[in-house]
Amino acid sequence: MKIAIGCDHAGLELKEKVVKHLHERNYEVIDMGTNTPDSVDYPVYGKKVAHAVTQGSADFGIVICGTGIGISIAANKVKGIRAALCHDVFSAKATREHNNANILAMGARVIGIGPALEIVDAFLTTPFSEGERHIKRINMLEEE
Ligand code: RB5
């Protein structure tokens, strides 16, 4: 499974830990940056990861900024993206089951490394429920 991952400067340290964790679990990782501590703009990285997912070069995305908020908003601007900001395992599972979320967002200034890695595992291993009511609601997300 291929995972695209991106962050801003505030998310860099956590991204590096998540990348290592993903490699240890044999995921293929597409690291879309940033890769230096210089200040950068989170919309650039949120949208890069989002496009990798919608274009099919990645199965799922992970985006990280200070709060996870800005970069999740950026990713969600791309049609077809359902980015979920999760800081607990219950939400990470539920958003896969109910929303078929295709991007996980986290805030590096909000959450510690231990919970973050558990959230990543929960998100990537929980299947979509395929429930009829959930499919209907997900389709409604794309309506104007
Ligand atoms: C950067 O300082 C910070 O604004 C960014 O990482 C994020 O928290 C935005 O939502």
Side-chain angles (χ1 to χ4, degrees), residues 54-74:
T54 56
Q55 287 162 9
S57 42
D59 300 293
F60 290 104
I62 298 176
V63 293
I64 304 168
C65 68
T67 58
I69 297 170
I71 204 159
S72 63
I73 293 172

Side-chain angles (χ1 to χ4, degrees), residues 55-111:
Q55 287 162 9
S57 42
D59 300 293
F60 290 104
I62 298 176
V63 293
I64 304 168
C65 68
T67 58
I69 297 170
I71 204 159
S72 63
I73 293 172
N76 275 317
K77 294 283 179 189
V78 175
K79 193 170 170 56
I81 288 301
R82 294 174 302 281
L85 175 57
C86 298
H87 289 133
D88 65 273
V89 166
F90 173 81
S91 300
K93 285 184 183 169
T95 196
R96 287 288 309 123
E97 287 169 350
H98 290 211
N99 315 122
N100 198 11
N102 46 17
I103 293 188
L104 168 66
M106 294 186 291
R109 292 174 178 160
V110 179
I111 196 170

